Amino acid sequence: MKLFPLLLFIFSSSLYSQTFSIQKTSEKITIDGDLADWKTPFLAPFVIHNSGEKATQSTMVSLSWNDENLYIAYRSDDSKIVGESKKKDSPIYKTDDLVEIFIDPDGDGQNYVEIGVNAFSTNYDMLVKCVSRDCGGWKTSTQFNISGLETVSKISAEGFCTEIKIPFSSLEMVKNGKFIKPKTGTKWKANVFRIDYGNTTEYLALQRYKSLKYGFHQPQEFAFFEFVE
């Protein structure tokens, strides 16, 4: 695999349903919040999720994969970190600075996975069964757990960095999720987010949306993420 330096950014545009690459890696990735050894390119910038306007503070994300796992790394500038260490599956999205990923491989808007991690490494994993009237109205389950999920955030003077490891084998166990172990060329519908509760509360996304409906939960407007060599 061709290696990319840490500071190589790929800038997103304001177009909808963009396609972003998930680079395959042969590197051993340790989930410790330290991105000094991260090799795959970062995508940026995150923007206000429903307007595309510039965020107050910078957020970047990088995704990579091997035959067993999906890896995600975030770099979040943050001059005022809000939150604290809490028990797993606490509703940190209501109170804490955090990063998130939603994954809906088949793009049907049902039985997709939501994962969030705050600046203090607290995480939650949720199964979103339905968001619209077409499938019976809003239904979620926090009893859902991703076996082997690893998340670590590391705070610095500039903000915080977060690393996530998601085993493909655990996603394949999602009932009616239609998760199939990816191969080169596989495309998943997904989006990555940040909630910044600092001086000004901002809801940020890599793929911006056209409407306010359901907030972040607009799977019909998720981006495509393609697994590449």
Side-chain angles (χ1 to χ4, degrees):
M1 182 190 93
K2 183 179 179 181
L3 299 182
F4 294 81
L6 179 64
L7 295 180
L8 175 61
F9 302 159
I10 298 177
F11 289 91
S12 64
S13 70
S14 61
L15 298 176
Y16 300 111
S17 298
Q18 300 172 83
T19 298
F20 301 105
S21 295
I22 305 177
Q23 297 280 343
K24 193 168 189 180
T25 181
S26 59
E27 300 287 327
K28 177 178 173 57
I29 296 179
T30 301
I31 306 302
D32 57 7
D34 185 348
L35 305 186
D37 58 351
W38 195 268
K39 304 296 184 181
T40 53
F42 278 73
L43 307 170
F46 281 37
V47 296
I48 305 298
H49 80 289
N50 55 19
S51 70
E53 294 178 2
K54 184 178 179 180
T56 300
Q57 302 189 106
S58 172
T59 313
M60 297 176 289
V61 67
S62 179
L63 300 96
S64 63
W65 67 294
N66 58 24
D67 291 336
E68 290 78 37
N69 305 300
L70 174 65
Y71 300 95
I72 309 106
Y74 300 80
R75 295 174 61 90
S76 302
D77 288 352
D78 202 327
S79 61
K80 182 181 179 182
I81 295 176
V82 176
E84 60 185 2
S85 179
K86 298 176 181 177
K87 67 179 182 179
K88 179 176 172 57
D89 288 335
S90 295
I92 52 177
Y93 47 84
K94 296 180 179 179
T95 56
D96 292 16
D97 288 345
L98 82 165
V99 291
E100 297 178 309
I101 183 167
F102 295 7
I103 307 172
D104 184 24
D106 62 358
D108 70 351
Q110 300 179 49
N111 300 297
Y112 63 86
V113 169
E114 174 181 348
I115 298 167
V117 187
N118 73 6
F120 301 87
S121 301
T122 298
N123 74 59
Y124 73 89
D125 45 2
M126 179 187 298
L127 180 63
V128 182
K129 298 179 180 180
C130 172
V131 295
S132 72
R133 293 180 181 178
D134 295 339
C135 53
W138 180 256
K139 297 178 184 177
T140 65
S141 174
T142 54
Q143 300 304 309
F144 165 77
N145 285 298
I146 296 176
S147 177
L149 175 68
E150 294 183 31
T151 65
V152 176
S153 292
K154 185 175 182 180
I155 295 174
S156 69
E158 292 76 29
F160 65 100
C161 294
T162 304
E163 288 182 299
I164 301 173
K165 183 183 85 171
I166 306 172
F168 295 131
S169 58
S170 64
L171 296 181
E172 291 173 328
M173 301 302 292
V174 177
K175 186 177 180 180
N176 298 320
K178 300 178 183 177
F179 286 87
I180 299 173
K181 188 174 182 179
K183 58 185 179 181
T184 301
T186 297
K187 288 185 179 181
W188 282 1
K189 291 281 282 184
N191 208 354
V192 285
F193 307 95
R194 176 185 177 187
I195 304 178
D196 184 0
Y197 286 110
N199 296 315
T200 301
T201 299
E202 293 182 337
Y203 296 84
L204 311 176
L206 184 62
Q207 166 72 56
R208 61 157 293 195
Y209 294 152
K210 292 180 287 185
S211 69
L212 298 173
K213 194 175 182 181
Y214 303 123
F216 283 169
H217 290 277
Q218 300 180 57
Q220 74 280 4
E221 296 191 37
F222 285 178
F224 289 98
F225 285 82
E226 182 176 7
F227 293 83
V228 301
E229 291 287 340

